[in-house]
Every structure is written in structure tokens, then in C-alpha cells.
Amino acid sequence: MPNWSEVLREIGNVDAELKSLSAPDQVRRKYLKKLFEKTRRNTIAYYSGWLSKPNIEGIHINDEDKNGFMMAVHELNRSDGLDLILHTPGGELHATESIIHYLRQMFDDNIRVIVPQIAMSGGTLIACSSKQILMGKHSNLGPIDPQLRGVPAYGVIEEFRTAAEEIKEDPSKVHVWNPILSKYHPTFLSQCKNAIEHSKKVAQSYLKEIMFKDVPNNTKIAEKIVGSLTDYTGNKSHARHIHVDECKILGLKVLELESDHELQELVLTVHHAFVHTLMNTRSFKIIENHIGRSLIKLM
């Protein structure tokens, strides 16, 4: 399979004037179809361009994305299950939960999540709602930390806690903290706490009901995994990268891409094709299936 440079060269060599599709579209769909031919499972890719275009509204998971998933699921043979390729920084908790609910209904929980590079926060929550996660040595999940108004809930709570401690020790610091804390609505702290508790609850239920459905002591297993994924003190940062070895130590059901060379090559080639599209065109989000149906959001 082509590597990063070879995929870019192939895109450059495509004569787009001969077809209605652009060169990036042709190359991306070519390899997405090849991946389906390898697995024989429905394949949908969900890609965000936040790494190269970080400040665009709508870059994170949101309710509008469900329209893309509905389009991608239409006309698929749902009995073949779903391989969902994820590359996302996460996003809105309730939108993420709604997308998970929809896909579960469509594919009867027969879903695997493939993480070629990064699936953070809400992306990790989606991964936890699958039967199995496919990752390579280059792949990362992240802490499950819901975002409200674009900021991590755990970070807000920690900021309030730090402010309270410092002001208690030195009341004069209230003048330092006041401009920082005044940006939050009075009920925002409660909203953050509620979002954190809800994210823990749904993550545990997904793991118990899907990944560890028939496993003894699945409640304790789910609680342990979610406890680690939502441990703000231990994780230190919303952006912390959790590698494949640690995911396996946590207890998640992970299949290493390196165990199947052909599959690994196909997944990485698909990944390169999507990232080249996001880096070199006006697109900032792509939802696309193996038969070429796609929703592409442009700047």
C-alpha cells in the first residue's frame, strides 16, 4: 500500500478533468473501498481537520454531524456490521451520545472503531461504545472529559478549586481571580459537574452492554476503565494521549493493527488520503462511506 508521500504523489497525478470528482476525492474513495474489500464490513470514516484548522466553528462533534451519518448509513447492508474510522478531538457530549445511539440502532451493536491516529474525549467515548477498538502503535485515545462552550469540564472545576484555595490562603488574590472566573455563568460549574457525572454513567453503560456484554463482573470492569479514563488528577490534561499499550492495560478490548500487516497498510493509506484532503483543500470535516457517499464541510 502507498505511504504518505506516495498517496500525495498519486493525488497530484490524477487527471481530475476526466471525472466529476476531485483528485483527493478519487484517491480517498479508492482506498476506502479497498479497506471494505479486505474486511467485508461496512466502513464509515469520520474525520475532523482540527490539527491543521483548529479554530473553525463546527470542527468538533456536534448535532449537525448526525445528518452525515444518516447519509452514510443509507443503502448499506446493516447486517454486515460497521467499522467506524475515527479521527476527532471530541466535542459536545449530548451530540456524541445521540450519534452513538443512532449507530447502535442501525447496526445492532455490531460496531468496531478504528483509530488510525487520534480519537480524543468524545471520540474515546465512541470507541468505548464499540465491540472492539483497532489501534496501532501510532494511535491514541484521550481522557473522557466533556466539553461545555468549548472548554473541558474537568478543567473548569479544577480552576475553581485552585481559585478557592488560593483566595482562602490570601484574600487579596480575589482581584487576580475575579477576571478569570467572571467569564463563567453562575450555573456553569454545576453544568460541568453534571456533564462529568453523565459522561461517566454513559461510558460505563456502553462498556457493560457492548464491549463486555457477556463477561463476568462486567460492571466492575467498566467502572475500573471509566475511572481511569476520567481521572483528571492522574491524566493531568484534557489533551493527554493514551497509547495502545496503556489502553490494553486499562482493560479495553484492543486489536493491534500490527497483527495484520495488510489491514494496517490499508488503514494507514486511508488515513493518509483523508489527512491530505483536510490539509490541502477547503474541507474541515468529512463523513464518508465505502460506496462513496459523503458529507464534506468546507471553510
Side-chain angles (χ1 to χ4, degrees):
M1 284 293 107
N3 62 25
W4 173 273
S5 298
E6 291 166 341
V7 170
L8 183 59
R9 191 179 306 120
E10 182 174 351
I11 291 172
N13 290 336
V14 169
D15 187 356
E17 294 182 358
L18 297 179
K19 298 181 180 180
S20 60
L21 294 174
S22 70
D25 288 342
Q26 291 183 54
V27 173
R28 200 177 59 246
R29 293 174 185 180
K30 170 185 173 180
Y31 291 110
L32 200 57
K33 183 178 179 182
K34 283 182 177 292
L35 179 58
F36 162 74
E37 290 169 349
K38 160 70 175 177
T39 64
R40 307 311 301 181
R41 292 172 59 84
N42 294 305
T43 307
I44 297 176
Y46 176 83
Y47 267 75
S48 167
W50 91 101
L51 293 177
S52 55
K53 301 164 184 173
N55 299 315
I56 298 176
E57 185 176 354
I59 202 84
H60 296 84
I61 298 172
N62 58 68
D63 279 317
E64 193 174 40
D65 293 339
K66 187 184 283 188
N67 295 308
F69 280 104
M70 291 169 64
M71 171 277 308
V73 170
H74 184 59
E75 295 185 352
L76 296 183
N77 182 354
R78 300 171 195 170
S79 64
D80 290 336
L82 172 66
D83 280 355
L84 176 60
I85 309 173
L86 280 183
H87 185 68
T88 174
E92 298 171 8
L93 172 60
H94 295 301
T96 302
E97 189 180 359
S98 181
I99 290 168
I100 290 170
H101 180 269
Y102 171 68
L103 293 177
R104 290 184 66 184
Q105 297 299 307
M106 292 299 99
F107 295 97
D108 194 26
D109 287 344
N110 185 10
I111 301 171
R112 302 191 304 181
V113 165
I114 303 174
V115 182
Q117 186 178 356
I118 306 176
M120 303 293 283
S121 193
T124 300
L125 188 61
I126 295 174
C128 287
S129 72
S130 69
K131 294 179 66 176
Q132 187 179 48
I133 309 169
L134 280 64
M135 302 174 67
K137 297 187 185 304
H138 39 75
S139 306
N140 305 112
L141 299 182
I144 297 176
D145 183 1
Q147 298 182 46
L148 285 84
R149 289 200 241 156
V151 296
Y154 276 103
V156 172
I157 291 174
E158 189 64 21
E159 194 167 44
F160 269 94
R161 184 179 293 115
T162 301
E165 291 174 354
E166 291 192 5
I167 292 171
K168 183 178 180 180
E169 291 179 4
D170 182 359
S172 67
K173 288 189 176 181
V174 69
H175 301 293
V176 176
W177 279 103
N178 189 56
I180 299 172
L181 300 181
S182 63
K183 64 185 177 183
Y184 299 125
H185 190 273
T187 63
F188 191 57
L189 185 61
S190 296
Q191 292 173 354
C192 288
K193 291 179 179 179
N194 291 337
I196 290 168
E197 290 306 312
H198 185 65
S199 65
K200 288 181 179 181
K201 179 180 178 181
V202 296
Q204 289 176 10
S205 68
Y206 295 149
L207 289 168
K208 181 179 176 180
E209 295 170 8
I210 307 170
M211 188 175 288
F212 300 100
K213 181 178 180 180
D214 298 317
V215 176
N217 299 318
N218 55 6
T219 299
K220 289 185 177 180
I221 293 172
E223 289 176 352
K224 176 180 176 293
I225 292 172
V226 173
S228 297
L229 291 174
T230 58
D231 179 9
Y232 187 82
T233 302
N235 290 314
K236 301 296 184 183
S237 168
H238 176 78
R240 179 172 178 260
H241 290 25
I242 303 174
H243 298 271
V244 61
D245 290 341
E246 185 175 353
C247 289
K248 292 173 72 175
I249 291 172
L250 291 178
L252 291 166
K253 287 188 178 180
V254 175
L255 174 65
E256 293 191 50
L257 288 172
E258 288 81 4
S259 66
D260 185 331
H261 180 71
E262 183 183 6
L263 178 63
Q264 180 190 30
E265 289 289 297
L266 284 165
V267 167
L268 289 179
T269 300
V270 167
H271 178 65
H272 297 334
F274 272 88
V275 173
H276 279 310
T277 303
L278 292 166
M279 289 178 63
N280 299 306
T281 71
R282 293 190 300 117
S283 61
F284 67 88
K285 184 177 285 184
I286 306 172
I287 305 173
E288 188 164 60
N289 67 16
H290 67 272
I291 60 175
R293 294 188 180 275
S294 63
L295 182 150
I296 303 175
K297 299 188 73 174
L298 304 175
M299 293 171 59

